[in-house]
Amino acid sequence: MTGILFAVALLTFAAAIITYPVYFPFTFSGIQSEWGIATAYPAVEGFVSQEWFGTYFLIARYLVAAILIATAAVFLFFSRQDSLGLGVAAVLSASGPALGLAGETWNSPLPAPFGLIFDFFNLFFLIVFLLGVIALGHLYPDRKFPLPWMKRVASWSIGFLVLGILLLFSGAADAIGELAWTTLMVLMLLNLAPAALSLLRRLRERPPGAARKGVFSLSVLFFWITTSITLSGVIDTIPTLKLAALHLDLFALGFLALSFFADLWGNQLWGPDIRPYRRLISGAFASFILLVAVSGWLAGGQIRSARAASAGQAANLLARDFGPLIVDTDMGNDDILALLFLMEHPGVDLQALTVVGTGLAHCDPGVRNALGLLELSQSPPVPVSCGSETPFGAEHEFPEAWRAATDRLWGFGLPTGGRQPDPRSAPDLIGEILHSATDPVTILALGPLTNFAQAFGDDPALVGKIGMLYIMGGAVEVPGNVYDESLGLDNKTAEWNVYADPVAARMVFESGVPITLVPLDATNYVPVDFGLYREFEARHGDRVSTFVFNIFYINQGWIASGFYYLWDTLAAAAMTAPELVAYQTYNIAVITESGPDFGRTAETEAGRPVRVATWADASLFKALFVETLAEP
């Protein structure tokens, strides 16, 4: 009974994880921009659109998922009294999630704690699948090891494999980076080798009857896994090979399930006679596959309609008149995109652009590049100046290599058109604009808060002139983005804009200024994906859209890593269109004591009430971003 309950639970979770793109539309849009599909698309881009290419793979995956789940269910029903039959059901159930049938699902953007739960089950299915394949390689279909010593080898190999997987995904192997993945791949191959020997022995001996059934299909599975592991580095660089590999993955999974089904269907494997049920099973099987295929098609159609609606809604959002705005920026990669978004937004009246010298850019190149962006977008004259390059309190400077790349604008050149920086310092410029304003002014902070800490410290009355201070920074309920063992950074709770000058951030938060915080909690929903890349690849031509495409072009590796987000751009867009995000009020304090939480934006009873963005509508946001910056 325990085995049956385990198999039923496994089957249920597998069905949920494989089919979850139906319930979470962001995953369908992500299918089009997965690294594998984006790599393969150039092989067929002359025949189909990126959207239809993604839809095709969505339907294909659903069909294979249907075969896997339906076959596992048949085994569960007819072989529920046999441990090996339950093992087959477990392997088939776990194979879909373990082998990425639902797409690139690690680091799921589901809200906490569901994202962590989802990632845990991904790891769980991976372990169940790998251990099950090794066990079946030794035992299928007669429950016997071909040679006695293979039992000990299997036990040790399975133990080492589990240990390697747990060490890697626990983060304990972060210190050795890519070597950890290579080690795990080699370990997988070494663990599959003894099971492969068992299969070869069965094939060589050609035992009679049912003992030979299924061996060929398992051999194909082993060949496929080893080929995929050993050739993945080459395949991922050649579109035609990647396209073939994607189909091979699907066909191998489907063939595996159907070969197991044929054993049970045609040979009464392990005893059960299912001939009286063949018509019922075949009808149910076909109906289930058809149902899943139709569901995949309808899901794709609904999400395509939703994307079209988002594009129409984005056009309406751009018709709004936002009013005057001051932007403070450190001129990082995502700052550039946010600034161009605001410069191209017809409803934004940019009053001043200040550079914070404690962020990514140093003052002189930061100001020069800001003037260049104004010229690129043909914006009206705007005062541009910089503040101090010295943070308040302890220094947490951005890595020098990052700052150097930002200063030279990653090799791009921008004309200034004769525009000159404002002679006033950034805090003085902010103060004078606020004092002269007749209505409350909106401010957007896209870097460390050094300039505002100095301005408020010099003149606390400025706080009363600000309608809302929007801040891209912090991490409230999610991990920070500072941690990097290769750079000697062990802080896992802080976000860079706050971490660079946490004392200044604390001063601003305690100043009484009304704050809307757009932290990593919300920006984690808006990664830069290859779908967005393809949009600008197809729709660039004027100077601004070409500049945006070039930024994406030189960062394809970053896009593929899954760690490139539109942090500052979301903050800018959410400021102009509150519908893009969901808010919740937290009492926030910035921790400035030395320790693992230095620079953390923590919810505490002593903190100030802050409106915090906790979620973002990725589809609507990206539609607004494209509508604003891409060429019509």
Side-chain angles (χ1 to χ4, degrees), residues 82-144:
D82 188 287
S83 59
L84 202 57
L86 293 177
V88 172
V91 167
L92 291 175
S93 299
S95 60
L99 299 174
L101 196 59
E104 296 168 356
T105 54
W106 291 101
N107 300 313
S108 169
L110 292 172
F114 302 106
L116 291 176
I117 294 172
F118 194 87
D119 287 345
F120 166 79
F121 277 110
N122 267 318
L123 176 59
F124 172 75
F125 280 118
L126 178 63
I127 294 175
V128 170
F129 172 73
L130 289 174
L131 301 191
V133 167
I134 293 171
L136 289 181
H138 283 291
L139 300 173
Y140 187 84
D142 56 5
R143 309 179 194 84
K144 297 177 182 178

Side-chain angles (χ1 to χ4, degrees), residues 130-131 134 157-165 184 187-188 191:
L130 289 174
L131 301 191
I134 293 171
S157 64
I158 287 174
F160 279 117
L161 183 60
V162 172
L163 180 62
I165 293 173
L184 181 62
L187 193 60
M188 287 181 182
N191 278 277

Side-chain angles (χ1 to χ4, degrees), residues 471-505:
I471 299 173
M472 190 283 117
V476 181
E477 298 284 358
V478 300
N481 62 358
V482 171
Y483 179 80
D484 189 330
E485 195 162 340
S486 66
L487 297 173
L489 300 169
D490 60 357
N491 187 308
K492 296 184 178 181
T493 61
E495 180 275 334
W496 263 112
N497 281 348
V498 176
Y499 183 75
D501 196 350
V503 175

Side-chain angles (χ1 to χ4, degrees), residues 183 399 604 612 626:
T183 303
T604 67
V612 176
V626 171

Side-chain angles (χ1 to χ4, degrees), residues 173-220:
D174 287 346
I176 56 177
E178 288 298 320
L179 181 60
W181 281 103
T182 303
T183 303
L184 181 62
M185 295 300 104
V186 172
L187 193 60
M188 287 181 182
L189 293 174
L190 292 176
N191 278 277
L192 290 171
L197 290 175
S198 295
L199 290 173
L200 290 173
R201 185 175 179 84
R202 285 190 170 90
L203 285 173
R204 183 171 61 84
E205 294 180 350
R206 298 181 180 274
R212 186 183 173 191
K213 307 303 180 184
V215 174
F216 178 72
S217 60
L218 280 173
S219 301
V220 171

